[in-house]
Amino acid sequence: QTVPLHRITIHGIDYAEIYQLPKPFALPINAHFGNELVLRGVTLKRAPGQLIVTPSWDVRSRPSADYQVFVHVIDSAGRTVAQVDVAPGGGDVPPTSAWEPGQQIAVPLPVALPETLPAGAYLVTLGMYDPQNGQRLPFAGATAADAARAGPNAVLLDMITLPRSEEHTSELQSHHD
């Protein structure tokens, strides 16, 4: 259940509410970042040289800042081997402080993978932070990544297995199933 995008009121009587349908996702996450944003779920896809992470955001109230989102790919030793830090709407969607309650937003975020990345299992984590002070936003309702490996306030999206070569670009083993 989300908040209405628009409410039609005539003479003080609510006649209708308009909702935007949630954006589709493959993995349910349900991370609540305060009362402002809910990460409903995420879709992970492999493309040549990159991992495409598409978060599905549900705006519950207008965000109080222009947040950034980070996506980290972490190896078994706890090293971040690939990452992206960007506005959650990319360049085509207004910054988060302009998001309206009821909006459903899903913008693919490409994470470049190093060519030398060995085959194996990797954690994929996501979080939000305020770029003014660098503070990560706390969340509730989702699985937290191990803070020793991912830092504080990082959502565990999935553990994936990357193949050895780019020949298998569509292969992306999910351990979430």
Side-chain angles (χ1 to χ4, degrees), residues 21-165:
L21 291 174
K23 302 294 184 181
F25 53 85
L27 301 170
I29 302 294
N30 199 34
H32 293 254
F33 291 89
N35 62 353
E36 298 175 339
L37 298 170
V38 175
L39 175 60
R40 288 176 155 301
V42 68
T43 300
L44 304 175
K45 289 190 178 174
R46 180 85 193 274
Q50 60 187 345
L51 176 66
I52 309 294
V53 179
T54 307
S56 177
W57 298 103
D58 177 8
V59 184
R60 298 293 176 94
S61 66
R62 183 184 287 264
S64 56
D66 289 330
Y67 298 124
Q68 294 282 94
V69 65
F70 67 84
V71 176
H72 293 169
V73 179
I74 302 170
D75 69 10
S76 59
R79 291 183 299 262
T80 299
V81 296
Q83 72 181 63
V84 66
D85 287 69
V86 64
D92 298 334
V93 175
T96 55
S97 65
W99 289 7
E100 294 291 331
Q103 279 187 300
Q104 306 294 312
I105 298 170
V107 176
L109 305 174
V111 181
L113 298 174
E115 289 182 23
T116 57
L117 199 60
Y122 295 87
L123 294 178
V124 181
T125 65
L126 175 147
M128 296 195 84
Y129 64 95
D130 184 341
Q132 297 296 324
N133 58 22
Q135 291 289 91
R136 288 184 178 183
L137 301 179
F139 63 89
T143 303
D146 175 16
R149 293 173 72 185
N153 297 316
V155 177
L156 175 62
L157 297 182
D158 205 357
M159 179 181 279
I160 60 171
T161 300
L162 296 176
R164 287 193 189 284
S165 72

